[in-house]
PDB file of all heavy atoms in Angstrom:
ATOM      1  N   PRO A 481     124.619  73.817 -26.309  1.00 93.00           N
ATOM      2  CA  PRO A 481     123.266  74.178 -26.761  1.00 93.00           C
ATOM      3  C   PRO A 481     123.338  75.070 -27.987  1.00 93.00           C
ATOM      4  O   PRO A 481     124.292  75.832 -28.166  1.00 93.00           O
ATOM      5  CB  PRO A 481     122.692  74.928 -25.560  1.00 93.00           C
ATOM      6  CG  PRO A 481     123.877  75.510 -24.860  1.00 93.00           C
ATOM      7  CD  PRO A 481     125.004  74.529 -25.071  1.00 93.00           C
ATOM      8  N   ASN A 482     122.345  74.967 -28.851  1.00 91.00           N
ATOM      9  CA  ASN A 482     122.288  75.772 -30.061  1.00 91.00           C
ATOM     10  C   ASN A 482     120.865  76.273 -30.288  1.00 91.00           C
ATOM     11  O   ASN A 482     119.938  75.872 -29.590  1.00 91.00           O
ATOM     12  CB  ASN A 482     122.717  74.933 -31.278  1.00 91.00           C
ATOM     13  CG  ASN A 482     124.145  74.472 -31.181  1.00 91.00           C
ATOM     14  OD1 ASN A 482     125.059  75.277 -31.117  1.00 91.00           O
ATOM     15  ND2 ASN A 482     124.342  73.163 -31.137  1.00 91.00           N
ATOM     16  N   HIS A 483     120.725  77.129 -31.264  1.00 92.00           N
ATOM     17  CA  HIS A 483     119.389  77.566 -31.684  1.00 92.00           C
ATOM     18  C   HIS A 483     119.212  77.115 -33.123  1.00 92.00           C
ATOM     19  O   HIS A 483     119.617  77.815 -34.063  1.00 92.00           O
ATOM     20  CB  HIS A 483     119.246  79.073 -31.561  1.00 92.00           C
ATOM     21  CG  HIS A 483     117.834  79.544 -31.794  1.00 92.00           C
ATOM     22  ND1 HIS A 483     117.463  80.862 -31.694  1.00 92.00           N
ATOM     23  CD2 HIS A 483     116.711  78.866 -32.120  1.00 92.00           C
ATOM     24  CE1 HIS A 483     116.168  80.975 -31.960  1.00 92.00           C
ATOM     25  NE2 HIS A 483     115.694  79.766 -32.229  1.00 92.00           N
ATOM     26  N   PHE A 484     118.637  75.933 -33.276  1.00 91.00           N
ATOM     27  CA  PHE A 484     118.471  75.364 -34.601  1.00 91.00           C
ATOM     28  C   PHE A 484     117.007  75.226 -34.990  1.00 91.00           C
ATOM     29  O   PHE A 484     116.666  75.041 -36.139  1.00 91.00           O
ATOM     30  CB  PHE A 484     119.138  73.978 -34.635  1.00 91.00           C
ATOM     31  CG  PHE A 484     119.389  73.459 -36.020  1.00 91.00           C
ATOM     32  CD1 PHE A 484     120.491  73.881 -36.738  1.00 91.00           C
ATOM     33  CD2 PHE A 484     118.536  72.552 -36.607  1.00 91.00           C
ATOM     34  CE1 PHE A 484     120.738  73.405 -38.019  1.00 91.00           C
ATOM     35  CE2 PHE A 484     118.761  72.071 -37.890  1.00 91.00           C
ATOM     36  CZ  PHE A 484     119.868  72.499 -38.589  1.00 91.00           C
ATOM     37  N   TYR A 485     116.125  75.316 -34.012  1.00 92.00           N
ATOM     38  CA  TYR A 485     114.711  75.033 -34.250  1.00 92.00           C
ATOM     39  C   TYR A 485     113.891  75.882 -33.285  1.00 92.00           C
ATOM     40  O   TYR A 485     114.321  76.169 -32.170  1.00 92.00           O
ATOM     41  CB  TYR A 485     114.458  73.538 -34.013  1.00 92.00           C
ATOM     42  CG  TYR A 485     113.012  73.103 -34.153  1.00 92.00           C
ATOM     43  CD1 TYR A 485     112.384  73.098 -35.390  1.00 92.00           C
ATOM     44  CD2 TYR A 485     112.286  72.679 -33.046  1.00 92.00           C
ATOM     45  CE1 TYR A 485     111.068  72.680 -35.528  1.00 92.00           C
ATOM     46  CE2 TYR A 485     110.970  72.258 -33.167  1.00 92.00           C
ATOM     47  CZ  TYR A 485     110.362  72.264 -34.400  1.00 92.00           C
ATOM     48  OH  TYR A 485     109.059  71.861 -34.527  1.00 92.00           O
ATOM     49  N   GLU A 486     112.721  76.309 -33.720  1.00 93.00           N
ATOM     50  CA  GLU A 486     111.838  77.095 -32.856  1.00 93.00           C
ATOM     51  C   GLU A 486     110.605  76.264 -32.531  1.00 93.00           C
ATOM     52  O   GLU A 486     109.705  76.127 -33.359  1.00 93.00           O
ATOM     53  CB  GLU A 486     111.448  78.404 -33.538  1.00 93.00           C
ATOM     54  CG  GLU A 486     110.799  79.409 -32.589  1.00 93.00           C
ATOM     55  CD  GLU A 486     111.705  79.796 -31.438  1.00 93.00           C
ATOM     56  OE1 GLU A 486     112.898  80.080 -31.672  1.00 93.00           O
ATOM     57  OE2 GLU A 486     111.212  79.796 -30.285  1.00 93.00           O
ATOM     58  N   PRO A 487     110.558  75.664 -31.320  1.00 95.00           N
ATOM     59  CA  PRO A 487     109.430  74.787 -30.983  1.00 95.00           C
ATOM     60  C   PRO A 487     108.158  75.576 -30.701  1.00 95.00           C
ATOM     61  O   PRO A 487     108.206  76.745 -30.288  1.00 95.00           O
ATOM     62  CB  PRO A 487     109.915  74.079 -29.715  1.00 95.00           C
ATOM     63  CG  PRO A 487     110.841  75.072 -29.082  1.00 95.00           C
ATOM     64  CD  PRO A 487     111.528  75.775 -30.218  1.00 95.00           C
ATOM     65  N   THR A 488     107.033  74.926 -30.888  1.00 95.00           N
ATOM     66  CA  THR A 488     105.752  75.534 -30.541  1.00 95.00           C
ATOM     67  C   THR A 488     105.481  75.310 -29.058  1.00 95.00           C
ATOM     68  O   THR A 488     106.082  74.452 -28.414  1.00 95.00           O
ATOM     69  CB  THR A 488     104.615  74.904 -31.355  1.00 95.00           C
ATOM     70  OG1 THR A 488     104.472  73.521 -30.975  1.00 95.00           O
ATOM     71  CG2 THR A 488     104.892  74.995 -32.852  1.00 95.00           C
ATOM     72  N   GLU A 489     104.553  76.071 -28.514  1.00 96.00           N
ATOM     73  CA  GLU A 489     104.171  75.902 -27.111  1.00 96.00           C
ATOM     74  C   GLU A 489     103.587  74.513 -26.881  1.00 96.00           C
ATOM     75  O   GLU A 489     103.796  73.896 -25.824  1.00 96.00           O
ATOM     76  CB  GLU A 489     103.153  76.981 -26.713  1.00 96.00           C
ATOM     77  CG  GLU A 489     103.695  78.404 -26.770  1.00 96.00           C
ATOM     78  CD  GLU A 489     104.868  78.610 -25.836  1.00 96.00           C
ATOM     79  OE1 GLU A 489     104.762  78.219 -24.662  1.00 96.00           O
ATOM     80  OE2 GLU A 489     105.902  79.159 -26.293  1.00 96.00           O
ATOM     81  N   ASN A 490     102.889  74.011 -27.870  1.00 96.00           N
ATOM     82  CA  ASN A 490     102.292  72.684 -27.753  1.00 96.00           C
ATOM     83  C   ASN A 490     103.372  71.598 -27.669  1.00 96.00           C
ATOM     84  O   ASN A 490     103.246  70.648 -26.883  1.00 96.00           O
ATOM     85  CB  ASN A 490     101.380  72.419 -28.946  1.00 96.00           C
ATOM     86  CG  ASN A 490     100.629  71.106 -28.823  1.00 96.00           C
ATOM     87  OD1 ASN A 490     100.022  70.815 -27.802  1.00 96.00           O
ATOM     88  ND2 ASN A 490     100.685  70.295 -29.876  1.00 96.00           N
ATOM     89  N   GLU A 491     104.421  71.743 -28.463  1.00 96.00           N
ATOM     90  CA  GLU A 491     105.530  70.787 -28.402  1.00 96.00           C
ATOM     91  C   GLU A 491     106.184  70.794 -27.028  1.00 96.00           C
ATOM     92  O   GLU A 491     106.499  69.737 -26.457  1.00 96.00           O
ATOM     93  CB  GLU A 491     106.571  71.124 -29.463  1.00 96.00           C
ATOM     94  CG  GLU A 491     106.192  70.785 -30.882  1.00 96.00           C
ATOM     95  CD  GLU A 491     107.285  71.180 -31.845  1.00 96.00           C
ATOM     96  OE1 GLU A 491     107.361  72.378 -32.199  1.00 96.00           O
ATOM     97  OE2 GLU A 491     108.072  70.302 -32.230  1.00 96.00           O
ATOM     98  N   ILE A 492     106.404  71.971 -26.502  1.00 96.00           N
ATOM     99  CA  ILE A 492     107.029  72.091 -25.184  1.00 96.00           C
ATOM    100  C   ILE A 492     106.179  71.385 -24.119  1.00 96.00           C
ATOM    101  O   ILE A 492     106.684  70.617 -23.295  1.00 96.00           O
ATOM    102  CB  ILE A 492     107.225  73.576 -24.817  1.00 96.00           C
ATOM    103  CG1 ILE A 492     108.212  74.228 -25.788  1.00 96.00           C
ATOM    104  CG2 ILE A 492     107.713  73.727 -23.376  1.00 96.00           C
ATOM    105  CD1 ILE A 492     108.277  75.738 -25.687  1.00 96.00           C
ATOM    106  N   ASP A 493     104.886  71.612 -24.167  1.00 96.00           N
ATOM    107  CA  ASP A 493     103.988  70.999 -23.186  1.00 96.00           C
ATOM    108  C   ASP A 493     103.954  69.477 -23.313  1.00 96.00           C
ATOM    109  O   ASP A 493     103.896  68.757 -22.308  1.00 96.00           O
ATOM    110  CB  ASP A 493     102.573  71.570 -23.334  1.00 96.00           C
ATOM    111  CG  ASP A 493     102.478  73.019 -22.876  1.00 96.00           C
ATOM    112  OD1 ASP A 493     103.299  73.417 -22.031  1.00 96.00           O
ATOM    113  OD2 ASP A 493     101.604  73.745 -23.375  1.00 96.00           O
ATOM    114  N   LYS A 494     104.001  68.966 -24.539  1.00 94.00           N
ATOM    115  CA  LYS A 494     103.977  67.524 -24.745  1.00 94.00           C
ATOM    116  C   LYS A 494     105.202  66.856 -24.132  1.00 94.00           C
ATOM    117  O   LYS A 494     105.107  65.819 -23.465  1.00 94.00           O
ATOM    118  CB  LYS A 494     103.898  67.199 -26.243  1.00 94.00           C
ATOM    119  CG  LYS A 494     102.509  67.332 -26.839  1.00 94.00           C
ATOM    120  CD  LYS A 494     102.508  66.888 -28.292  1.00 94.00           C
ATOM    121  CE  LYS A 494     101.100  66.936 -28.880  1.00 94.00           C
ATOM    122  NZ  LYS A 494     101.085  66.512 -30.311  1.00 94.00           N
ATOM    123  N   VAL A 495     106.372  67.437 -24.362  1.00 94.00           N
ATOM    124  CA  VAL A 495     107.600  66.870 -23.804  1.00 94.00           C
ATOM    125  C   VAL A 495     107.586  66.980 -22.286  1.00 94.00           C
ATOM    126  O   VAL A 495     107.944  66.028 -21.574  1.00 94.00           O
ATOM    127  CB  VAL A 495     108.836  67.574 -24.387  1.00 94.00           C
ATOM    128  CG1 VAL A 495     110.106  67.109 -23.684  1.00 94.00           C
ATOM    129  CG2 VAL A 495     108.948  67.315 -25.882  1.00 94.00           C
ATOM    130  N   LEU A 496     107.171  68.130 -21.780  1.00 94.00           N
ATOM    131  CA  LEU A 496     107.106  68.329 -20.330  1.00 94.00           C
ATOM    132  C   LEU A 496     106.190  67.300 -19.686  1.00 94.00           C
ATOM    133  O   LEU A 496     106.548  66.665 -18.675  1.00 94.00           O
ATOM    134  CB  LEU A 496     106.628  69.747 -20.028  1.00 94.00           C
ATOM    135  CG  LEU A 496     106.441  70.102 -18.545  1.00 94.00           C
ATOM    136  CD1 LEU A 496     107.752  69.987 -17.792  1.00 94.00           C
ATOM    137  CD2 LEU A 496     105.877  71.511 -18.404  1.00 94.00           C
ATOM    138  N   ASN A 497     105.018  67.102 -20.241  1.00 92.00           N
ATOM    139  CA  ASN A 497     104.060  66.153 -19.665  1.00 92.00           C
ATOM    140  C   ASN A 497     104.581  64.724 -19.725  1.00 92.00           C
ATOM    141  O   ASN A 497     104.377  63.933 -18.783  1.00 92.00           O
ATOM    142  CB  ASN A 497     102.714  66.257 -20.393  1.00 92.00           C
ATOM    143  CG  ASN A 497     102.005  67.572 -20.116  1.00 92.00           C
ATOM    144  OD1 ASN A 497     102.237  68.196 -19.078  1.00 92.00           O
ATOM    145  ND2 ASN A 497     101.169  68.015 -21.037  1.00 92.00           N
ATOM    146  N   ARG A 498     105.248  64.387 -20.814  1.00 90.00           N
ATOM    147  CA  ARG A 498     105.813  63.044 -20.930  1.00 90.00           C
ATOM    148  C   ARG A 498     106.828  62.781 -19.833  1.00 90.00           C
ATOM    149  O   ARG A 498     106.869  61.700 -19.232  1.00 90.00           O
ATOM    150  CB  ARG A 498     106.463  62.881 -22.303  1.00 90.00           C
ATOM    151  CG  ARG A 498     107.183  61.556 -22.492  1.00 90.00           C
ATOM    152  CD  ARG A 498     107.819  61.476 -23.861  1.00 90.00           C
ATOM    153  NE  ARG A 498     109.206  61.058 -23.768  1.00 90.00           N
ATOM    154  CZ  ARG A 498     110.037  60.986 -24.796  1.00 90.00           C
ATOM    155  NH1 ARG A 498     109.619  61.342 -25.995  1.00 90.00           N
ATOM    156  NH2 ARG A 498     111.267  60.580 -24.643  1.00 90.00           N
ATOM    157  N   LEU A 499     107.660  63.775 -19.541  1.00 90.00           N
ATOM    158  CA  LEU A 499     108.688  63.609 -18.521  1.00 90.00           C
ATOM    159  C   LEU A 499     108.089  63.596 -17.113  1.00 90.00           C
ATOM    160  O   LEU A 499     108.505  62.812 -16.254  1.00 90.00           O
ATOM    161  CB  LEU A 499     109.733  64.721 -18.640  1.00 90.00           C
ATOM    162  CG  LEU A 499     110.573  64.686 -19.916  1.00 90.00           C
ATOM    163  CD1 LEU A 499     111.439  65.929 -20.026  1.00 90.00           C
ATOM    164  CD2 LEU A 499     111.439  63.436 -19.953  1.00 90.00           C
ATOM    165  N   ILE A 500     107.113  64.453 -16.873  1.00 89.00           N
ATOM    166  CA  ILE A 500     106.475  64.493 -15.563  1.00 89.00           C
ATOM    167  C   ILE A 500     105.744  63.184 -15.272  1.00 89.00           C
ATOM    168  O   ILE A 500     105.716  62.699 -14.132  1.00 89.00           O
ATOM    169  CB  ILE A 500     105.512  65.697 -15.473  1.00 89.00           C
ATOM    170  CG1 ILE A 500     106.316  67.007 -15.430  1.00 89.00           C
ATOM    171  CG2 ILE A 500     104.604  65.582 -14.261  1.00 89.00           C
ATOM    172  CD1 ILE A 500     105.468  68.254 -15.449  1.00 89.00           C
ATOM    173  N   GLU A 501     105.188  62.573 -16.330  1.00 86.00           N
ATOM    174  CA  GLU A 501     104.482  61.301 -16.160  1.00 86.00           C
ATOM    175  C   GLU A 501     105.429  60.109 -16.047  1.00 86.00           C
ATOM    176  O   GLU A 501     104.991  58.970 -15.881  1.00 86.00           O
ATOM    177  CB  GLU A 501     103.533  61.088 -17.347  1.00 86.00           C
ATOM    178  CG  GLU A 501     102.370  62.070 -17.369  1.00 86.00           C
ATOM    179  CD  GLU A 501     101.597  62.009 -18.680  1.00 86.00           C
ATOM    180  OE1 GLU A 501     101.896  61.104 -19.497  1.00 86.00           O
ATOM    181  OE2 GLU A 501     100.711  62.852 -18.879  1.00 86.00           O
ATOM    182  N   LYS A 502     106.744  60.364 -16.128  1.00 75.00           N
ATOM    183  CA  LYS A 502     107.781  59.337 -15.970  1.00 75.00           C
ATOM    184  C   LYS A 502     107.629  58.198 -16.978  1.00 75.00           C
ATOM    185  O   LYS A 502     107.783  57.024 -16.644  1.00 75.00           O
ATOM    186  CB  LYS A 502     107.799  58.793 -14.540  1.00 75.00           C
ATOM    187  CG  LYS A 502     108.131  59.836 -13.480  1.00 75.00           C
ATOM    188  CD  LYS A 502     108.426  59.211 -12.139  1.00 75.00           C
ATOM    189  CE  LYS A 502     107.232  58.537 -11.530  1.00 75.00           C
ATOM    190  NZ  LYS A 502     107.504  58.028 -10.161  1.00 75.00           N
ATOM    191  N   LYS A 503     107.330  58.560 -18.211  1.00 71.00           N
ATOM    192  CA  LYS A 503     107.222  57.538 -19.245  1.00 71.00           C
ATOM    193  C   LYS A 503     108.615  57.059 -19.643  1.00 71.00           C
ATOM    194  O   LYS A 503     109.528  57.866 -19.796  1.00 71.00           O
ATOM    195  CB  LYS A 503     106.485  58.094 -20.469  1.00 71.00           C
ATOM    196  CG  LYS A 503     105.016  58.375 -20.214  1.00 71.00           C
ATOM    197  CD  LYS A 503     104.312  58.834 -21.481  1.00 71.00           C
ATOM    198  CE  LYS A 503     102.837  59.069 -21.223  1.00 71.00           C
ATOM    199  NZ  LYS A 503     102.116  59.529 -22.448  1.00 71.00           N
ATOM    200  N   PRO A 504     108.805  55.752 -19.797  1.00 68.00           N
ATOM    201  CA  PRO A 504     110.127  55.225 -20.150  1.00 68.00           C
ATOM    202  C   PRO A 504     110.601  55.766 -21.498  1.00 68.00           C
ATOM    203  O   PRO A 504     109.809  56.029 -22.402  1.00 68.00           O
ATOM    204  CB  PRO A 504     109.890  53.709 -20.235  1.00 68.00           C
ATOM    205  CG  PRO A 504     108.644  53.466 -19.451  1.00 68.00           C
ATOM    206  CD  PRO A 504     107.804  54.689 -19.620  1.00 68.00           C
ATOM    207  N   SER A 505     111.906  55.931 -21.614  1.00 67.00           N
ATOM    208  CA  SER A 505     112.484  56.386 -22.875  1.00 67.00           C
ATOM    209  C   SER A 505     112.304  55.316 -23.952  1.00 67.00           C
ATOM    210  O   SER A 505     112.434  54.121 -23.688  1.00 67.00           O
ATOM    211  CB  SER A 505     113.980  56.670 -22.695  1.00 67.00           C
ATOM    212  OG  SER A 505     114.606  56.844 -23.945  1.00 67.00           O
ATOM    213  N   PRO A 506     112.007  55.716 -25.193  1.00 65.00           N
ATOM    214  CA  PRO A 506     111.913  54.745 -26.291  1.00 65.00           C
ATOM    215  C   PRO A 506     113.246  54.077 -26.592  1.00 65.00           C
ATOM    216  O   PRO A 506     113.296  53.072 -27.298  1.00 65.00           O
ATOM    217  CB  PRO A 506     111.423  55.592 -27.469  1.00 65.00           C
ATOM    218  CG  PRO A 506     111.799  56.987 -27.137  1.00 65.00           C
ATOM    219  CD  PRO A 506     111.700  57.088 -25.643  1.00 65.00           C
ATOM    220  N   LEU A 507     114.352  54.629 -26.059  1.00 63.00           N
ATOM    221  CA  LEU A 507     115.659  54.027 -26.259  1.00 63.00           C
ATOM    222  C   LEU A 507     115.950  52.926 -25.243  1.00 63.00           C
ATOM    223  O   LEU A 507     116.945  52.206 -25.374  1.00 63.00           O
ATOM    224  CB  LEU A 507     116.755  55.107 -26.168  1.00 63.00           C
ATOM    225  CG  LEU A 507     116.743  56.173 -27.272  1.00 63.00           C
ATOM    226  CD1 LEU A 507     117.802  57.223 -26.985  1.00 63.00           C
ATOM    227  CD2 LEU A 507     116.972  55.548 -28.636  1.00 63.00           C
TER     228      LEU A 507
END
Side-chain angles (χ1 to χ4, degrees):
N482 297 299
H483 188 178
F484 197 81
Y485 177 69
E486 193 60 46
T488 66
E489 296 299 311
N490 185 49
E491 286 179 280
I492 295 169
D493 290 334
K494 281 184 177 180
V495 173
L496 177 61
N497 291 335
R498 175 181 131 185
L499 294 172
I500 290 175
E501 292 169 7
K502 298 192 294 185
K503 292 184 178 180
S505 168
L507 294 175

